[in-house]
Amino acid sequence: MKDKRILYVSSEVVPYLAENEVSLMSYDVPKMINDQGGQIRIFMPRYGNINERRHQLHEVIRLSGMNLVVNDLDMPLIIKVASIPKERIQVYFIDNDEYFKRKATFADEEGVMYPDNDERAIFFAKGVVETVKKLNWVPDIIHVHGWMAAMLPIYMKHFYKNEALFSETKIVTSVYSQSFEGTLDAEMINKVKFDGVPDEAIADLAIPDYENIIKATVMHSDAVIIASENLSSSLTKFIESSGKPFLPFVPKDKFAEAYTNFYKNEVL
């Protein structure tokens, strides 16, 4: 994978958030490619429970300052950056006071999901693409992890479909069992349609529960990785019948070779 450019877009990454299946793989996979001589960037949301001082985040003024439209509202985009110690890996943080200031990731202290998680996901997807455009950094692969990043493939295939920068870029989505209860805002489908995404492309978002969001993401990806051993049978069957190249679950001690071969043989 030497000199290949891979953009990792994730809901959660260690060491900035607690360890779980998504956050650990969102660190381990980029580190593996970095060790192989690949060029990588990681993007994640700047949740309010990330300790900026401890992790030495700082705002990148030249990248910040633009406004993104979400559901007809202008939302300022703030970009922060940090380096993972000892790894020479840069992590970019998508921030906005309205969406990411609160001191938790997806739910309040009572465990109730934030009502605007759908808009946060849309803002995150647009923020990643606009920042990469400003960096003028052309990824060979964009690899998506976690449901908060799940809108990115949809926006890439529709809202940003005419961006010459990404004409050769392939999108890989890792699908995890780590989900959420209930649904996101029932108006989510209309907020995505507001950005010119056609009805038939996002019919699954009519009921925006975890499985339906992932189904829409899979259909807009070029390849899929089953990243959890205990993924639901319904999602597993959907991926297997999607017609997309997919990598079945691989245990952690064997993922490096399997992911590299999948990138080389099925994606690039």
Side-chain angles (χ1 to χ4, degrees):
M1 296 300 292
K2 188 167 169 54
D3 295 331
K4 292 295 180 190
R5 291 182 169 192
I6 306 187
L7 173 64
Y8 291 92
V9 183
S10 180
S11 299
E12 307 165 77
V13 184
V14 293
Y16 304 105
L17 293 169
E19 292 187 4
N20 58 43
E21 202 167 38
V22 176
S23 65
L24 284 166
M25 285 306 280
S26 298
Y27 168 80
D28 289 337
V29 183
K31 180 184 182 307
M32 170 196 76
I33 296 300
N34 195 52
D35 291 345
Q36 292 179 18
Q39 298 181 42
I40 63 156
R41 299 280 189 278
I42 302 175
F43 277 74
M44 67 178 291
R46 208 295 293 180
Y47 306 104
N49 56 344
I50 294 172
N51 188 317
E52 293 203 10
R53 184 176 295 171
R54 185 195 312 146
H55 295 297
Q56 299 183 331
L57 272 67
H58 60 271
E59 186 175 349
V60 187
I61 303 297
R62 70 185 176 89
L63 297 176
S64 300
M66 72 178 104
N67 279 6
L68 305 179
V69 177
V70 178
N71 199 28
D72 209 17
L73 286 174
D74 274 6
M75 293 300 204
L77 173 64
I78 302 163
I79 305 295
K80 295 175 179 170
V81 71
S83 293
I84 296 178
K86 303 182 199 143
E87 294 300 338
R88 298 198 318 280
I89 293 175
Q90 275 203 313
V91 181
Y92 290 83
F93 296 83
I94 300 295
D95 198 3
N96 168 273
D97 286 349
E98 183 76 22
Y99 287 138
F100 295 112
K101 196 90 168 175
R102 59 203 79 160
K103 295 291 182 186
T105 50
F106 314 124
D108 64 21
E109 52 269 14
E110 307 293 318
V112 177
M113 291 279 283
Y114 292 125
D116 62 354
N117 274 336
D118 61 327
E119 294 184 13
R120 298 168 91 208
I122 292 168
F123 182 87
F124 180 48
K126 286 185 168 183
V128 169
V129 180
E130 294 296 347
T131 305
V132 173
K133 281 166 58 181
K134 270 201 169 181
L135 290 169
N136 201 28
W137 191 79
V138 185
D140 297 295
I141 295 172
I142 298 175
H143 191 162
V144 174
H145 299 259
W147 65 263
M148 184 62 83
M151 288 296 100
L152 189 112
I154 295 167
Y155 274 78
M156 285 290 291
K157 298 294 186 184
H158 296 285
F159 192 74
Y160 293 107
K161 67 181 178 186
N162 296 321
E163 287 286 349
L165 193 74
F166 303 111
S167 60
E168 302 294 318
T169 301
K170 302 294 185 191
I171 301 172
V172 178
T173 295
S174 281
V175 178
Y176 296 87
S177 58
Q178 190 175 315
S179 63
F180 56 84
E181 295 291 322
T183 68
L184 301 189
D185 183 33
E187 284 296 304
M188 181 178 190
I189 189 168
N190 293 322
K191 295 171 189 177
V192 179
K193 284 194 319 204
F194 175 83
D195 287 320
V197 181
D199 285 20
E200 62 275 11
I202 49 169
D204 286 314
L205 297 185
I207 301 173
D209 61 15
Y210 176 73
E211 290 220 351
N212 283 340
I213 288 170
I214 297 303
K215 284 177 180 177
T217 303
V218 165
M219 293 316 295
H220 288 86
S221 302
D222 297 299
V224 183
I225 294 173
I226 296 176
S228 294
E229 189 171 17
N230 58 340
L231 191 67
S232 72
S233 59
S234 54
L235 265 182
T236 302
K237 282 176 188 158
F238 181 82
I239 292 165
E240 289 171 350
S241 63
S242 67
K244 309 284 182 180
F246 74 93
L247 179 67
F249 176 74
V250 181
K252 185 112 186 223
D253 56 346
K254 299 198 174 100
F255 89 89
E257 184 180 4
Y259 278 38
T260 303
N261 289 338
F262 188 68
Y263 281 160
K264 285 180 177 173
N265 301 326
E266 300 290 349
V267 183
L268 292 172

